[in-house]
Amino acid sequence: MDFEISKIAREAFDDALKARGHVNVLVAGRTGVGKSSLINAVFGEDFAKTGQGKPVTQGMPRPYTRPGSPLTIWDSTGLELGEKEFTETNKLLVNFVTERKNSPDPNSHIHVAWLCIDEGSRRVQAAEQKWCTDLAKVLPVVVVITKAMADAGFHEVAKSSLPEAKSVVRVNSVGMALDSNHRVQVHGIKELVEVTRDLVAEGQRRAFVAAQKASLDLKVRECNGIISAAAMAAGTAAAAPIPFSDAFLLVPIQIGMIAKISSTFGLEQSEGFLSTIVASAIGGTTATLAGRFIVTNALKFIPGLGSAAGGILAAGTAATLTTAMGKAYVTTLATLFQETNGATPTAEQIAERFRRQLGA
Ligand SMILES: Nc1nc2c(ncn2[C@@H]2O[C@H](COP(=O)(O)OP(=O)(O)OP(=O)(O)O)[C@@H](O)[C@H]2O)c(=O)[nH]1
Ligand SMILES: [Mg+2]
């Protein structure tokens, strides 16, 4: 049996990108509050810089993106303006979000907003309250208390002053030595990412999970859903009483699963990237899989066993093998990313580790 791996990989790659979607995050906060540091801590270094130098339209948030990334960050300005100017800018901003919300393409909506307030300021400004009230009418707002080092009751103050916020999260994005014995650790980033993930619309959730670099756990959980869906599809495919069809049907399902998992880990994948992983790591296993399925399929046609018994056996096996493959791939990526401290491994590194993980 001949599988056109490169063709299947190309289709799987396109499907995975479509299924991942695109997420738009609006970030607001006074000058120096820690927006860029927060963005770096959540999405990685190279992100916050890319939009600079573009012409600025007064009141309009500036987009920051990176080629191949499923995320655009919208940098909202104006919180430090005088009352009159601020009111005008805020109207423009609400109009901007509302217009996008009415767009038929959900990937262009602004999905969530982070309003940053410096913990050291010790108070919530009138402009911040107005911003939260206005924006919360058109999208979910999370208040981020930045440079969180000494709460002293500010968390409660923020929660009661900004009742429209879905959540108020304390973060410290930059580790800092207070003196030779004391250090402020980076904290709160994972919590912010968890809270935000739940607020993003379902169709853009995977994009957010893929773009964030703060929680591997969030990626692993997203992948568990991908694996369950693929296992179910594999079971259904194998249950059809057509001999020799299983392997043909299973290969695209499994490559599709690998593509979706790759995209959730934010791998800058290409057809070549996928083909490398599939060819070197699954290549051998696919042949074995095909063999096994032909055997289980044959059982369906043995008198006495009946098609149901054969079907159930094949379906169960197909689902189990697909799950095992998915779990092995997720473990491969999770371990590699942990080892490289977030740096993206190469296709060859992944393929090599995946092969070992599969015991091939
Ligand atoms: N300790 C600590 N320092 C922070 C934190 N966030 C930002 N800083 C520091 O505060 C300063 C300003 O941070 P930025 O991230 O540049 O703030 P910004 O909101 O992007 O500033 P503008 O783009 O100028 O509006 C920098 O010196 C950061 O290192 C934090 O969570 N903890
Ligand atoms: Mg900045």
Side-chain angles (χ1 to χ4, degrees), residues 7-57:
K7 182 169 171 273
I8 299 173
R10 187 164 54 240
E11 281 167 11
F13 170 62
D14 288 347
D15 285 352
L17 290 191
K18 243 178 255 158
R20 187 169 69 168
H22 190 93
V23 68
N24 293 289
V25 178
L26 181 67
V27 180
R30 299 168 68 87
T31 307
V33 70
K35 299 179 294 292
S36 300
S37 307
L38 176 70
I39 291 164
N40 287 347
V42 175
F43 301 113
E45 293 277 323
D46 39 346
F47 227 97
K49 291 174 190 150
T50 39
Q52 273 167 17
K54 288 191 180 169
V56 186
T57 316

Side-chain angles (χ1 to χ4, degrees), residues 8 12 16 226 251-261:
I8 299 173
I226 295 170
V251 168
I253 291 170
Q254 290 172 343
I255 295 181
M257 174 179 74
I258 298 296
K260 289 194 179 86
I261 292 171

Side-chain angles (χ1 to χ4, degrees), residues 261-277:
I261 292 171
S262 304
S263 74
T264 305
F265 273 83
L267 294 170
E268 310 280 339
Q269 36 167 339
S270 60
E271 176 205 322
F273 175 93
L274 264 186
S275 293
T276 303
I277 288 162

Side-chain angles (χ1 to χ4, degrees), residues 153-178:
F154 185 61
H155 193 196
E156 285 308 317
V157 170
K159 277 200 261 187
S160 54
S161 324
L162 304 159
E164 296 92 351
K166 295 281 183 201
S167 190
V168 180
V169 183
R170 296 179 67 234
V171 308
N172 185 55
S173 318
V174 184
M176 202 176 69
L178 293 177

Side-chain angles (χ1 to χ4, degrees), residues 201-281:
E202 215 180 314
Q204 286 69 41
R205 231 170 239 172
R206 194 175 294 164
F208 180 78
V209 171
Q212 63 81 28
K213 294 191 168 172
S215 172
L216 267 182
D217 187 51
L218 206 59
K219 292 181 196 278
V220 171
R221 272 186 277 149
E222 180 70 27
C223 290
N224 287 340
I226 295 170
I227 295 170
S228 306
M232 212 186 300
T236 309
I242 307 161
F244 309 119
S245 71
D246 293 356
F248 275 120
L249 293 169
L250 283 181
V251 168
I253 291 170
Q254 290 172 343
I255 295 181
M257 174 179 74
I258 298 296
K260 289 194 179 86
I261 292 171
S262 304
S263 74
T264 305
F265 273 83
L267 294 170
E268 310 280 339
Q269 36 167 339
S270 60
E271 176 205 322
F273 175 93
L274 264 186
S275 293
T276 303
I277 288 162
V278 169
S280 63

